[in-house]
Amino acid sequence: VGAAAQAMDSPDVGVPWLYPGFAVLAFVWSAADSFGIGANDVANSFSTAVASGTLNHRQAVVVALFTEFTGAVVLGASVTDTVRPVEQP
């Protein structure tokens, strides 16, 4: 009984350790989904600038790189606070 109880307290027990393929699949799926959402946002933001000739593709990629990264780092915490449900007392 002691060995079984000790095994249950181990951090190696749980869904990610029981099904590592599922955990890898979930990570790959979420990364691809995030990439697709970000690509769609960038395309919507810069399509007019590229189509009008104001920016070429390389310039649009560089601007998108800095603005997307800076927005995620600077505004990420405030977005999380807004989306997180308010705890009821």
Side-chain angles (χ1 to χ4, degrees), residues 77-89:
S78 61
V79 170
T80 305
D81 291 338
T82 302
V83 175
R84 183 181 306 133
V86 178
E87 294 181 24
Q88 298 295 326

Side-chain angles (χ1 to χ4, degrees), residues 15-73:
V15 173
W17 300 108
L18 293 175
Y19 306 106
F22 182 73
V24 170
L25 177 66
F27 177 77
V28 170
W29 185 272
S30 64
D33 192 34
S34 299
F35 182 79
I37 290 170
N40 186 35
D41 290 343
V42 169
N44 291 336
S45 300
F46 290 102
S47 62
T48 306
V50 172
S52 67
T54 305
L55 296 174
N56 62 29
H57 286 103
R58 184 179 302 264
Q59 291 169 332
V61 168
V62 171
V63 170
L65 174 91
F66 288 113
T67 56
E68 290 283 328
F69 180 77
T70 303
V73 170

